[in-house]
Amino acid sequence: MKKVVRGFYSVAYAVKLCRPNVVCAYPITPQTEIVENLAEMYANGELENCRYITAESEFAAASILVGASAAGARTFTATCSQGLILMSEVLFNAAGMRLPIVVANPNRALSAPLSIWNDLQDSMVLRDAGIIQVYVESNQEAHDMIPQAYKIAEDKRVMLPFMVCLDGFKLTHAHEPVDLLEQSLVDEFLPPYRPEVYLTTKKPVAFGCYAPPNIYMEFRVAMQRAMERAQGVIEKVFREWAEFSRRDWGGHLEIVYPESRNFVIAMGSLVGLLRKVVGELRKEGLSIGLVKLRTFRPFPFEDLRRVLGNAEKIIVIDRSVSLGYEGNLSIELKSALYGLSPEIISMILCLGGRDISKENLEKILRNAVLGKEGSGFKGYIEFEEVVP
Amino acid sequence: MEIKINIGAISEPLQSEKLKTGDWGTEWAVVDKEKCTACRVCEQFCPDGCIEVKKFGDEEYAVVDYNYCKGCGVCASVCRFEAIKMELKELFKIEVC
Amino acid sequence: MRFFGRGHGACPGCGLTIAVRNVLEALEGKCFVANPTGCLEIISSQYGKNAWGVPYIHSLFDNVAAVASGISEALKAMGREDEGKVVVFAGDGATADIGLTLHGMFDRNHDVIYICLDNEAYQNTGHQQSALTPLGEATTTTPVGKIMLGKMGRKKDMIAIALAHGSPYVATSSAVLPADIRRKVKKAAGIVGAKYIQIHCPCVTGWGIDGKEVVKVGNLAIETALYPIVEFENGKLLTVRKLKDRKPVEEYLKLQRRFRHLFTNPEGKKIIAEIQRIADANALKYNIDLKK
Ligand SMILES: Cc1ncc(C[n+]2csc(CCOP(=O)(O)OP(=O)(O)O)c2C)c(N)n1
Ligand code: SF4
Ligand code: SF4
Ligand SMILES: [Mg+2]
């Protein structure tokens, strides 16, 4: 059923279709309406076998889900920015306990200065947590990703939390036509969550045991292996989804104009604009293709080596930065392509909701391909820092 | 050597029982079954759950499991019938000359 | 049936394990335990050496109330409430200091029996002060020095906080009162909502006492009215453990290394007098003294 809805609703409605048992969150712009929508559904009795809990903080919300998930419940939360990093102690913990909690993260910048606007800095903080991270380009993709997220996270070979990252404001607040899924289709695609081990008095076990030095490391290795297996599971579930829904979003990567000599790579909604920009530049005769990175964790380094290994130049558009080094995606890509010869140009753009026009993006990419512009984190305006 | 580790460090129940803490203390509790009235007060107090009133025919008295007794003396201190004494383990009975 | 296995790593004579065993037995093992980081967790939940015979979860130091809320709500959502009660065992630090999520649990009144095992400091990390450390106690972060004689603040009134949240059942008890613990836990189990029981738990290592003195010291805390044993239902005071001959606080303090400086330092007398005033105020507040 195609409907024009806002990004919030496309996520919230998909969550409902996945039949969660416990939904718990704390409001933060631009996530708020996701949980408001879910609260409304709950208030109207539309969420069956489900408890919706108004937590007193993101930290508590994530903690409530740890208890719920360990007890065998399917769980959902949404948060971003300050809320996400307030959750971070709990989310690292949830990953270690192998709890398949699904988190929607409408990406937002981090304070200070305070900014409610979009960039990808928040989810980068959770990069090392053992949480799967997928970035979506549109509200339809966000909608479709939720059932896939549960299926992947709850797969016995995986059992890790899953973050669906969608750009705050750019997607959450956008009205877009979304083909809303049917309950029957989701039910057929996503089986109920039946963990093999959970908290029950019928067969008592202990969760969250501590590991002394003689065994701690092996549990971390086990998480790494789960991430490695997740690569395959994600691909399989993505393919399955394409058949099920007749919407094919690609694998870990989507490659546009694969035969190009140069590529631009980016994540999230910016890809939409880049599709147009790359099209224009190709009309000018530039050999430039586009790589949309969907899975950020586990990082699909083999796919990237295969697709980008022979490129001349790769322009990485980052919307987050590891201060003291460079753009996060650029760092990751360099390590993935280690030993191969493409030149990597790192561009950090659009922090804190700063827009970039199509013309400017075209100019930057054109200059980069033509060798007139190198890596940079410059801001858009010349400035000098002073003490008032 | 290959070992199995449980996902998420989840543990099976009551595995601590493999660990014998009976060698921790210098003393352990000794029950005088004549004085013991099987009132079970010591049972409720033992922090290690290792003193239990058991039936032996028509006799009933507290028995200490020396695999686990840490010799803390809590049971002796709560016995109203003075049926429990803390005794130095043989090992520590060194003659000083 | 054992609900808490032998072979755990607590110090000989530890009050925590006395309390825990009695709570679990009172519930006949029909419970889910959530436990934050702290002594109890460390002595009972090493991977492969788990002491628990009931379903158990340790998450973090600061979030146990929320984790327990999550279990309780999940059981409801899945129609599994009958499986057992959700019980928290949390240290005083986890409860009164860093346990940010406790007020949320109280507010939403989740069906949880929250038990604070009050050994009056962060014992797991080597005896640092907490909000439940009493006045005058020497800890490693409130040490005795030239200008400071141990903790110079009061013990936080968690009972008042629990009551202010409208908790349907609030009580104190002590590890040296197993029968009292059992009665109160059974009572709490029959009440729906977020219950709070604070159990005084002597810590041999932190307090500097011998195992043989645990029960005596625990009892003296009660007999001096420094640890009133009370019980509230729906905000109304239900029972108070009364005293015939209330003892002077010195009798309690002098047995413990953590208060030893109060007897050797010339300024100690003043603090002892202040501690006596606290005991007197407790006695007055709860009408503890039986008239002769
Ligand atoms: C966020 C965080 N801060 C600090 C610690 C270190 N820590 C672990 S347990 C503990 C003290 C526990 O004290 P309490 O809750 O009173 O329990 P006890 O060990 O005394 O029974 C501390 C400070 C931690 N694990 N996590
Ligand atoms: S001495 Fe302590 S550990 Fe041993 S039986 Fe008595 S109470 Fe239990
Ligand atoms: S340090 Fe204290 S609380 Fe911790 S195990 Fe030892 S006696 Fe128990
Ligand atoms: Mg403590």
Side-chain angles (χ1 to χ4, degrees), chain B residues 29 46-48 50-51 64 68-76 86:
Chain B
C46 174
D48 290 85
C50 58
I51 185 163
V64 176
Y68 300 105
C69 172
K70 291 176 185 166
C72 67
V74 167
C75 56
M86 298 311 295

Side-chain angles (χ1 to χ4, degrees), chain B residues 25-95:
Chain B
T26 51
E27 297 181 328
W28 52 37
V30 178
V31 180
D32 180 342
K33 59 180 184 181
E34 303 306 320
K35 288 186 182 165
C36 176
T37 63
C39 71
R40 295 180 183 267
V41 167
C42 55
E43 260 184 28
Q44 296 195 346
F45 272 90
C46 174
D48 290 85
C50 58
I51 185 163
E52 265 176 334
V53 172
K54 288 189 177 153
K55 257 201 158 83
F56 300 89
D58 39 336
E59 276 188 316
E60 211 182 359
Y61 53 87
V63 194
V64 176
D65 187 334
Y66 294 111
N67 283 316
Y68 300 105
C69 172
K70 291 176 185 166
C72 67
V74 167
C75 56
S77 75
V78 296
C79 180
R80 275 170 290 161
F81 307 98
E82 295 184 354
I84 308 173
K85 292 255 156 351
M86 298 311 295
E87 282 185 11
L88 202 63
K89 291 175 184 171
E90 278 309 314
L91 182 68
F92 297 97
K93 287 183 186 157
I94 312 161
E95 273 192 40

Side-chain angles (χ1 to χ4, degrees), chain B residues 4-21 24-25 27 41-52 65 68 70-74 76-78 86, chain C residues 1-15 17-18 21-22 25 44-54 175-179 182 210-216:
Chain B
K4 290 197 184 340
I5 65 168
N6 292 345
I7 185 167
I10 293 167
S11 280
E12 291 85 356
L14 298 176
Q15 291 169 312
S16 63
E17 301 241 329
K18 291 184 294 205
L19 300 158
K20 305 292 186 255
T21 49
W24 279 27
E27 297 181 328
V41 167
C42 55
E43 260 184 28
Q44 296 195 346
F45 272 90
C46 174
D48 290 85
C50 58
I51 185 163
E52 265 176 334
D65 187 334
Y68 300 105
K70 291 176 185 166
C72 67
V74 167
S77 75
V78 296
M86 298 311 295
Chain C
M1 256 309 277
R2 275 188 193 281
F3 309 123
F4 193 73
R6 296 162 296 189
H8 61 71
C11 307
C14 173
T17 49
I18 305 179
R21 285 192 47 231
N22 282 287
E25 281 169 25
S44 69
S45 75
Q46 182 175 331
Y47 175 70
K49 297 176 182 173
N50 168 31
W52 298 87
V54 294
V176 302
L177 303 174
R182 285 168 189 247
D210 192 78
K212 296 186 184 87
E213 306 268 86
V214 159
V215 177
K216 187 172 174 197

Side-chain angles (χ1 to χ4, degrees), chain C residues 132-194:
Chain C
L132 294 194
T133 300
L135 173 70
E137 170 168 354
T139 71
T140 57
T141 50
T142 56
V144 180
K146 287 196 185 114
I147 58 162
M148 199 168 85
L149 284 186
K151 168 150 168 174
M152 290 296 112
R154 58 181 181 172
K155 184 179 174 86
K156 189 190 269 191
D157 190 352
M158 281 303 299
I159 300 304
I161 292 173
L163 287 171
H165 276 91
S167 165
Y169 185 79
V170 180
T172 57
S173 190
S174 167
V176 302
L177 303 174
D180 187 65
I181 294 178
R182 285 168 189 247
R183 183 182 70 75
K184 287 176 175 164
V185 167
K186 280 187 187 144
K187 172 126 197 165
I191 297 170
V192 179

Side-chain angles (χ1 to χ4, degrees), chain A residues 18-37:
Chain A
C18 293
R19 303 185 185 277
N21 300 114
V22 179
V23 174
C24 182
Y26 190 83
I28 181 168
T29 306
Q31 155 266 30
T32 308
E33 280 179 50
I34 297 178
V35 291
E36 285 175 350
N37 283 334

